[in-house]
Amino acid sequence: MQATPTTFNLLRHGQVDGPAALYGKTDIPLSDQGLHAMQAQMQKTSKVDVVISSPRLRCLHFAKAFAEFLSVPLVIEDDLQECDFGLYDGIPFDDLSEQWFDLNAFWQEPMHNTLPNAESLKNFHQRVMHCWQRLTTKHQGQNCLVVSHGGVIRQILADVLSANWQQGDWYAKLQIGYASLTRVSIAEYEQAVPVVNFIAKPPFNENSL
């Protein structure tokens, strides 16, 4: 039985240093603005016991520095990588005008329209779920910071909320902004189920702009 609650703070990486595109396996770095937004998001963080990160540079850059700053362990999880978008991965949208039919079909029904040479949505979901199950077992009673990607966070939320991750609407209508923070917690009693505390909290008060 868990002695204390388990908390997963799911931090999406900040803005990347590149044009608008599907960035999955492409190892693009953060922009300066993206790094500052992640730092701002975590300024008032509560105690963190472990930092868990995707191996992609846009996540790992901040995760490694933050773990060192807090003097806590850093765990790199390959399965927390974003979906691999195949031939279109990392290609600016401006250069994919002739492929727009494929992209639109993918966005409308991603389960049935895998992009060329890309990871299927089913395989992506299963990969993330295996990792999520492993994390919830391994880190019981800990306050965890998970630095990952928008697609990964959506898969976790779909599982916790019993949402239909196969539908395009799940991705179109759920915005997980750059450097946003989502929290999932599990109570300390046996057989407790994960609950969502909040979704995609921005790193600043947007109403003040």
Side-chain angles (χ1 to χ4, degrees):
M1 182 180 294
Q2 294 176 223
T4 57
T6 305
T7 302
F8 289 95
N9 290 293
L10 310 176
L11 177 66
R12 188 191 175 194
H13 63 79
Q15 182 186 70
V16 297
D17 190 15
L22 290 172
Y23 291 111
K25 64 182 178 181
T26 303
D27 213 8
I28 189 170
L30 290 168
S31 66
D32 289 342
Q33 178 181 345
L35 177 59
H36 293 157
M38 296 176 79
Q39 293 169 339
Q41 179 66 268
M42 301 309 297
Q43 269 186 345
K44 297 181 180 179
T45 185
S46 57
K47 180 179 178 291
V48 171
D49 297 309
V50 60
V51 177
I52 304 164
S53 179
S54 157
R56 290 294 154 219
L57 185 60
R58 54 193 183 275
C59 298
L60 189 58
H61 181 188
F62 173 82
K64 183 177 181 181
F66 196 62
E68 290 177 353
F69 174 74
L70 297 177
S71 297
V72 299
L74 171 66
V75 177
I76 300 172
E77 285 279 358
D78 285 347
D79 286 341
L80 288 177
Q81 296 182 63
E82 183 59 279
C83 186
D84 179 350
F85 297 110
L87 295 181
Y88 300 164
D89 200 302
I91 306 299
F93 288 134
D94 287 347
D95 295 336
L96 290 174
S97 57
E98 295 182 3
Q99 292 79 24
W100 207 250
F101 180 83
D102 288 347
L103 288 169
N104 189 59
F106 169 69
W107 286 323
Q108 293 294 323
E109 295 189 60
M111 185 68 179
H112 305 293
N113 294 287
T114 302
L115 296 174
N117 292 355
E119 181 179 23
S120 71
L121 181 61
K122 179 180 179 180
N123 288 345
F124 173 52
H125 179 77
Q126 291 177 342
R127 165 166 65 83
V128 175
M129 286 302 95
H130 289 155
C131 183
W132 176 237
Q133 292 165 9
R134 187 166 64 248
L135 294 180
T136 56
T137 300
K138 180 179 179 181
H139 297 286
Q140 289 185 9
Q142 292 187 307
N143 191 331
C144 309
L145 174 64
V146 180
V147 187
S148 192
H149 309 267
V152 172
I153 294 171
R154 286 182 178 92
Q155 300 309 314
I156 293 172
L157 285 173
D159 181 66
V160 176
L161 296 173
S162 300
N164 190 344
W165 55 270
Q166 301 183 22
Q167 296 297 315
D169 278 357
W170 176 248
Y171 306 93
K173 295 180 178 179
L174 177 60
Q175 183 177 14
I176 306 293
Y178 284 134
S180 66
L181 190 68
T182 296
R183 179 171 295 164
V184 176
S185 61
I186 308 171
E188 65 274 14
Y189 60 87
E190 194 170 1
Q191 304 302 322
V193 297
V195 299
V196 177
N197 301 112
F198 54 80
I199 296 175
K201 175 185 174 184
F204 50 83
N205 184 357
E206 293 179 324
N207 294 328
S208 66
L209 294 180

